[in-house]
């Protein structure tokens, strides 16, 4: 006579929204957005659908809540006691590292500009730009350009890393460097010269160099803007 498969024992401790969101984040980090299903959550948490629906509405709610939680931690890690420029660099690096650790995050942030996660980023960046002396009427463009750079580059870097997770990065960069070195130096002089630097290319350092360029540009524009 066939025997029934054993069911995993139901959890006996209280289930909270925080516990659910943390479990969802772990699933997202491991398998990406496609791996996050309510069924997968019930298995991981040893609970039923009803218990989940008591705390979250649906998958979109879970994704948004997970993004909010990750960004909240990243922003909490930044202290705003130093010079505004250094604080902005710290914010940028904290977000870069958070998105790199959670590759699904970049796409999620682009879907919900009204979510607390993105609002917190804009508010923090705007506060530091204001402290740098950027006038109020220029804050929107300055903050928007810097935030878009941070999230765009960090998201693309994370996506590239996830796509090439089984590829040796050093070998891959070396192969591209060889191709660039073989380019016609008369037609591609800059790429030809950059080939040597590509081998030792550091995404995080280059990202921060871009942030510094943005901040230098914002400072230049600030000095040229007429008072209103």
């Amino acid at each position: 006579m066939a025997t029934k498969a054993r069911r995993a024992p139901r959890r006996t401790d209280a289930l909270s929204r925080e516990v659910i969101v943390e479990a969802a984040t772990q699933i997202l980090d491991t398998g990406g957005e496609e791996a996050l299903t309510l069924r997968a959550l019930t298995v991981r948490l040893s609970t039923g659908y009803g218990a989940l629906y008591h705390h979250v509405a649906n998958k979109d709610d879970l994704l948004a809540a997970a993004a909010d939680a990750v960004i909240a931690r990243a922003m909490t890690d930044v202290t705003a006691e130093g010079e505004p420029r250094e604080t902005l660099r710290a914010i940028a690096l904290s977000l870069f590292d958070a998105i790199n650790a959670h590759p699904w995050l970049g796409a999620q942030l682009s879907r919900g500009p009204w979510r607390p996660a993105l609002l917190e980023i804009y508010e923090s960046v705007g506060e530091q730009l204001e402290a740098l002396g950027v006038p109020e009427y220029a804050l929107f463009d300055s903050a928007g350009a810097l935030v878009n750079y941070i999230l765009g580059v960090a998201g693309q870097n994370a996506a590239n890393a996830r796509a090439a997770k089984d590829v040796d990065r050093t070998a891959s960069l070396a192969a591209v460097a060889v191709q660039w070195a073989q380019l016609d130096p008369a037609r591609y002089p800059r790429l030809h010269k950059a080939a040597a630097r590509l081998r030792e290319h550091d995404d995080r350092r280059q990202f921060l160099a871009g942030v510094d360029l943005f901040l230098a540009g914002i400072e230049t524009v600030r000095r040229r803007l007429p008072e209103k």
Side-chain angles (χ1 to χ4, degrees):
M1 184 174 62
T3 58
K4 293 183 178 180
R6 286 187 177 183
R7 292 184 179 180
R10 291 293 180 94
R11 63 186 301 124
T12 57
D13 57 321
L15 192 65
S16 66
R17 182 175 173 88
E18 289 73 21
V19 169
I20 294 172
V21 169
E22 180 59 30
T25 302
Q26 293 170 2
I27 293 173
L28 287 164
D29 291 346
T30 302
E33 190 174 325
E34 63 277 7
L36 179 60
T37 64
L38 293 181
R39 176 172 176 75
L41 266 178
T42 62
V43 173
R44 180 176 287 264
L45 293 171
S46 300
T47 190
Y49 290 100
L52 292 181
Y53 284 123
H54 182 70
H55 297 281
V56 295
N58 48 41
K59 180 176 177 176
D60 289 341
D61 186 26
L62 268 173
L63 282 165
D68 290 345
V70 171
I71 292 300
R73 287 195 293 269
M75 299 304 289
T76 300
D77 291 339
V78 178
T79 59
E81 299 175 356
E83 194 270 333
R85 181 182 298 273
E86 290 307 310
T87 300
L88 282 167
R89 294 172 93 248
I91 290 172
L93 281 178
S94 186
L95 291 172
F96 181 89
D97 291 340
I99 293 174
N100 186 60
H102 310 279
W104 52 271
L105 186 55
Q108 180 58 31
L109 288 174
S110 68
R111 296 174 188 163
W114 59 88
R115 294 292 310 181
L118 202 55
L119 298 180
E120 180 66 23
I121 293 171
Y122 270 105
E123 184 63 27
S124 297
V125 169
E127 178 184 10
Q128 298 307 315
L129 289 176
E130 192 174 56
L132 280 176
V134 177
E136 183 178 350
Y137 66 88
L139 273 176
F140 177 77
D141 289 339
S142 299
L146 183 54
V147 170
N148 285 338
Y149 169 79
I150 292 171
L151 299 184
V153 173
Q156 187 60 56
N157 178 79
N160 290 343
R162 186 174 183 85
K165 63 181 179 179
D166 296 325
V167 178
D168 181 270
R169 184 177 186 278
T170 301
S172 177
L173 288 177
V176 176
V178 169
Q179 292 180 345
W180 283 15
Q182 294 173 347
L183 293 172
D184 180 358
R187 184 175 181 183
Y188 301 103
R190 291 155 193 86
L191 287 178
H192 194 269
K193 292 177 182 178
R197 297 180 62 88
L198 185 64
R199 293 176 183 273
E200 304 300 325
H201 170 67
D202 183 280
D203 292 326
R204 197 170 185 266
R205 187 167 56 201
Q206 187 179 57
F207 166 77
L208 191 56
V211 172
D212 288 338
L213 287 172
F214 261 87
L215 293 177
I218 288 172
E219 175 62 20
T220 299
V221 171
R222 183 192 68 78
R223 291 197 297 265
R224 293 178 180 177
L225 286 173
E227 294 295 331
K228 289 188 178 181

